[in-house]
Amino acid sequence: MVVKLKRLIIENVKNTKYGVVDFSNNVMGIYGTSGLGKSTLLEVIELTSKLIKGEKIERYQNIVSNEDARITLELEELLNGELTKVKYSYVLKGN
């Protein structure tokens, strides 16, 4: 099975009110000045990976503010020659 992240949408995560990253054009790297959300993006991907695998989540409070955070991933899975589009979405409750 091959899984490819196509799009990531984050809402109310750290200092990002709303952000979309489109990976459909084979993104090779992410760069930018301080404060743009590069580390937030990596934290969200790590957290989502743990949730999907059923692993224990020890810390995520630092990425959620007073408002609920919503994270949505759009994926494509290729299994036995069949392509399936999958969408994961979850909410982290605010403080």
Side-chain angles (χ1 to χ4, degrees):
M1 174 172 48
V2 176
V3 178
K4 187 172 186 179
L5 177 60
K6 299 301 280 184
R7 190 167 135 136
L8 173 66
I9 304 166
I10 58 174
E11 300 173 62
N12 299 322
V13 177
K14 285 191 169 180
N15 63 347
T16 304
K17 277 296 203 189
Y18 181 83
V20 177
V21 180
D22 186 354
F23 293 98
S24 61
N25 291 324
N26 296 321
V27 173
M28 296 296 288
I30 298 171
Y31 65 93
T33 59
S34 295
L36 292 179
K38 299 175 301 294
S39 297
T40 300
L41 175 66
L42 295 176
E43 288 179 54
V44 165
I45 291 171
E46 176 188 28
L47 175 63
T48 302
S49 175
K50 287 183 176 190
L51 285 171
I52 291 171
K53 294 176 189 174
E55 295 178 4
K56 184 176 181 181
I57 300 170
E58 296 190 15
R59 60 172 186 85
Y60 74 81
Q61 293 83 3
N62 64 329
I63 68 172
V64 179
S65 62
N66 292 333
E67 299 180 55
D68 293 351
R70 176 174 298 280
I71 298 164
T72 304
L73 290 95
E74 296 176 6
L75 311 166
E76 287 183 351
E77 294 179 345
L78 183 61
L79 179 62
N80 299 328
E82 188 173 323
L83 184 66
T84 304
K85 293 184 179 188
V86 178
K87 189 174 191 177
Y88 288 102
S89 186
Y90 60 94
V91 174
L92 300 171
K93 291 293 183 183
N95 300 327

